[in-house]
Structures are given as C-alpha cells and as structure tokens.
Amino acid sequence: MRIIPIGGLEEVGKNITAIEYGNDIIIIDCGMSFAGPDMLGVDYIVPDVSYLQKRKHQIRGIIFTHGHLDHIGATQYVVPKLGNPPLYATKLTAGLLKNRLREFALDKSVKLHEYNETTVLKLGAFEVEFFRVNHSIPDGMGVFVKSPAGTLVHTGDFKFDHSPAIDKPADMQRIAQIGKKGIDVLMIDSTNAVKPGFCKSEKDIANNIEDIITKTKGRLIIASFSSLIGRINQICLLAAKHNRKVFLSGRSMIDNMALAENLGYTTYPKGAVRKIGPQAKSLPPSQTIILTTGAQGETLSALTRMAIGEHAHVKIREGDTVLISASPIPGNELAIVNVINNLYRQGAKVITNGDMDIHTSGHAHAEEIKLMHSLIKPRCYVPIHGELYMRMGHAEMIKSIADPKMTVTMLENNGDILEVGRQGIRKSKQKIPANDILVDGLGFGDIGSKVIQERKIMSTDGFLKML
Ligand SMILES: [Zn+2]
Ligand SMILES: [Zn+2]
C-alpha cells in the first residue's frame, strides 16, 4: 500500500491524499488553497493531479471527510481530469458538493454517493469505514482504510467536543474499537497540535454570546464563518429566545444556511431567520441581529462594506455592537484591524475573541491530539495538515509521550510516499509530481511563475505597448 499526500503538507489547505494498492487507487479529499498576496491575479490554487491522471482507470472513488473548501474546493477542476470517478460524502458535505458540481455543469456526469458512520465501502481492494468527529462544520468524519497490505486511519480535521452545537459528540467508543483492530498508520491533523489543553466547547461559546445578547440594548451584528453552521444555528436559537429577528448577510452565509435548513441541519423556528433586505431597517435595533460574512476582513465581504458605509441595507451607527466570532487566519490580521477601525469610526463598538471567548477552533489542541493517539495507538504516526513547523512541533510532542516502538514519520513535502507492506512501513525514496496549479478566473493551470513575475513587474514599473 502506498500513501501519497499530494497536497496539504506544505500549506494549510489543498488537502488531498491518494492511497494505492495493486491496481486500485482511492483518494481522500480534494481541496483548494487561497493564493497569497504576492500571487497577483491568482484566485486560488488546486492540486497537481498529473500522476493520478495517468492512472485514472484505477481510481475507485474520492472520499470527502467534511465540507470545508480546503477539502472539497478543487473537486470541479480535478474530477473531470480523472474521468469522473464516484464521490462519497456525508449528507451536508454532499449538499455542498452538489452545489459546486451544478455551478460547473458537472452534476449530471459525476455520481455522488452519501455515506454515514455505519457505511462500509468496498472500493477495489480497499474496505473503507468511518467514525464521527467534531469540527467547525457539521458532519465531519474520520476514515479507516483496510487493504491487504495494511490499515490506515486518517482523522480529517477534528476535535473532541462533548457538548457540540448541532452534531453528536465525536464517537470515542468507535474510535477505540477501530484502534483495537491494530492500525499501521495514523495520519492526524496538526493545525493546533501544539496549542495547550482542549478546545473550548461550542456550548461555552454559545453561553458567552447569550450573555452579550442579554446585556446589549442596541442592534447586534455578528460576523463569523459561513460554514460554522452549528454556531450560526445556536445564535439563531438564542435570537428567537431573546425576541430578536436574524437577518443573514453575505452570499455564502445565505447559501449555506439555505442548504443547512433544507437538509435538516437547523433547529430554529421557521421565520426566525431571513435574508437581509430593506425590512431589516424597519425593526427596532433591540430586536435585530445581523449575521454576516467578513470575519477575516475580506475586501468585498458584507462586513467590510458595512464598515466603509457601502452596504446596501446596513448603515453602521452609534449604539451598534459588532461581534467578531472568529479568530484571524494568519495573514489576515491587518485587514481585520482595518475593518475594526472603520467600524469604530462609524460609531460601533466591537467585541473580538481577544476580549472574551466568542470563538473556538475546529482543530484539536494538544490534549485532544494525545487522546486520539492513545485511542488509535498506531505503529506509525504521521502528522499531516499544516505548515512544517506545526507538524514538527506535533511530532516532538507525541514522541515525548509515545511508546518508543511507535515510529513518527515526517512526510515533508507534497508528493512524498509512505509504503506499507510486509517489510514494514517506510518513506520511499521516490516522489510524485505535486506542483501548485494556479487558477486565474476560469483558466486552470495555464499560468506559471513567469506570468506572475511579469505581473509583478507591470504592477510596479508599468508597461509599454508596441503599436
Ligand atoms: Zn476543516
Ligand atoms: Zn482543513
């Protein structure tokens, strides 16, 4: 069995792992990552699947762990290149995937199957099972893969939350049962592995937000991630309890909540939540909550437009309180500070996660990582997801507590190969191509570093057109 992370090792994002045995290949996740500010004109980055393209007749399916863009966002680009293999996802993830496929007119040609925690998939020589985890979007699953050469557990993005927002708690009994089967390789989320303690529970966050709702007399504007469906549902429930109507602002917030409502992932009373429009102004401020996108200070987002007075339906005024129920993704700090300054300029008061706990991460902290390690007890431990420093820190931490017989293997680069077989588990000397494919508008992989270089020159030095 060969395990090949094609993306997700050198960045936070673009997660995709191929697993090969004999003539069969399965793929876990198919994500994108966002371009940095130095990649002029590039919208996002998708994984290089040239290796898989040459073996597309061997691909038995793509399995999705959850619905975040760094796990599903490249699907519409990758799937046609691989001859439209079948896709497997839980209900909410499948709903999000369906919308993407429809947007790119692929919904007719791609078969999308739903799975749940009791499903057993037979994909070529592989048997695949699942276990429920918690994360910052409902319906996250970890994956257990069995092939004739060995076993693998892939956690996906996970944390343990005993009082989550809308999901059930992560299924520790099942994880322990899977661990008992004897696991060769554990691939495990590193994003917050070196942060101490446990993640705060969604329940604690909801309690703090309720506190703010009861103490606030004026209008409340809450910015968060549009995929944090459980948290958004909790806020909507609290709003109904405290006699406030919720207005949703921002395309992804409106789309995601419509999908969540349709698929049964919301529990607030019908009519308590609506899309923002002129009627948002007619209600007294004390009866209004506006839930918006833009918690990362994104240039065109609804919150940014509110902050500079350019939102069609929301004019910030004295007495407004803005809650930023998120923490900055590294690189976005400056943009967020700008938005906060502008909100104060318009007369609002701003509460961030730095002031009180109104956000919790979806990624396991150190103690949760140790718990997953002790439930699975693999022969070989592979920290994945995240920058090298996060994965190295994760490796050091786990080595200090683990059985010395367990090996901790660092797959440093995308395209590295881990081989599992009779001779043991080892990193191969080979490597497959795993470049960044840049997406520019609808163009896919047709711009390279030379184009970016030329754009940089043009942006500072101008250009001369020959007539
Ligand atoms: Zn995620
Ligand atoms: Zn992720």
Side-chain angles (χ1 to χ4, degrees), residues 134 158-162 170 172 175 199 364 368 371-372 375:
N134 296 115
F158 83 100
K159 66 170 175 176
F160 292 102
D161 191 341
H162 307 303
M172 285 202 257
I175 299 171
C199 284
E368 294 156 272
L371 176 56
M372 184 63 91
L375 290 172

Side-chain angles (χ1 to χ4, degrees), residues 66-71 135-137 157 363:
H66 65 285
H68 279 151
L69 288 177
D70 59 323
H71 298 257
H135 189 37
S136 44
I137 186 169
D157 290 352
H363 298 274

